[in-house]
Amino acid sequence: EVGITTDFNGTELLLFGALSKNSNDQIAIVISGPPKSMALRRKDKVAGIWLNTENARLEGIPSFYHILSTKPVEEIASPEERQKIRLGYEHIPLALASGSRIDEGEVQEWKEALIRNMEQVELWDKRPGSIRVIEGVLFRANVVLPANVIPGQYEVRVMHFSNGVMVNEDISTLKVAKSGLSAMVYNIANDYAPFYGIFAIIFAIAAGWLAA
């Protein structure tokens, strides 16, 4: 379990394991976070001014998606195999929220924008060559969780490939949770949202009055 405290600035985890590996076998690890909804906005120039011209709301988007591998996944498995086992950005489903639609541009353009945005904040990442194999049977990899990860259950998939086909998969979970004062504030904000909102307003007014 990873605890998120008020001074949490991210952390690094070590994944390791053992397997019966032939010289040409490869490993890929996918860590995916709890799904969430997300808004995307398309900007276009209107009368010389950049404006938001269309909004789309997506559902079920992984809040965290890191791919670690011994080499690029495109070299590990065929497109058909990667599609079958859902390995790679291109196999993350793009589901529009009810009542939301895309009228401008291709769906692929919106997906590329989503990938860029998530990579910029380090929540999605691809790291070929990040898994180190030791003496052909032990492997290790470092997983970086940035400061902006959200609480929830994270799925860890360890996949073993031989001759371009996945021959074994191990799935485990990692819990990321608020702890300490951060947990108390988070729980109050979620369980007593109206009261928390009123308190936040009163506190802001009082702080402004004292500062004046």
Coordinates of all heavy atoms in Angstrom, one line a residue, residues 59 93 178 189:
E59 N -15.5 8.9 -20.4 CA -15.7 8.1 -19.2 C -14.8 6.9 -19.2 O -14.5 6.3 -20.3 CB -17.1 7.7 -19.1 CG -18.1 8.8 -18.7 CD -19.5 8.4 -18.5 OE1 -19.9 7.3 -19.0 OE2 -20.3 9.1 -17.8
P93 N -10.0 2.0 -24.6 CA -11.2 2.4 -25.2 C -11.5 3.9 -24.9 O -11.3 4.4 -23.8 CB -12.3 1.5 -24.5 CG -11.7 1.1 -23.2 CD -10.2 1.0 -23.5
K178 N -5.1 7.8 0.8 CA -4.8 9.0 1.6 C -4.5 8.5 3.1 O -5.1 7.5 3.5 CB -6.0 9.9 1.7 CG -6.4 10.5 0.3 CD -5.5 11.7 -0.1 CE -6.0 12.4 -1.3 NZ -5.2 13.5 -1.7
A189 N -14.3 15.9 3.0 CA -14.7 16.6 1.7 C -15.7 15.7 0.9 O -16.6 16.2 0.3 CB -13.5 16.9 0.9

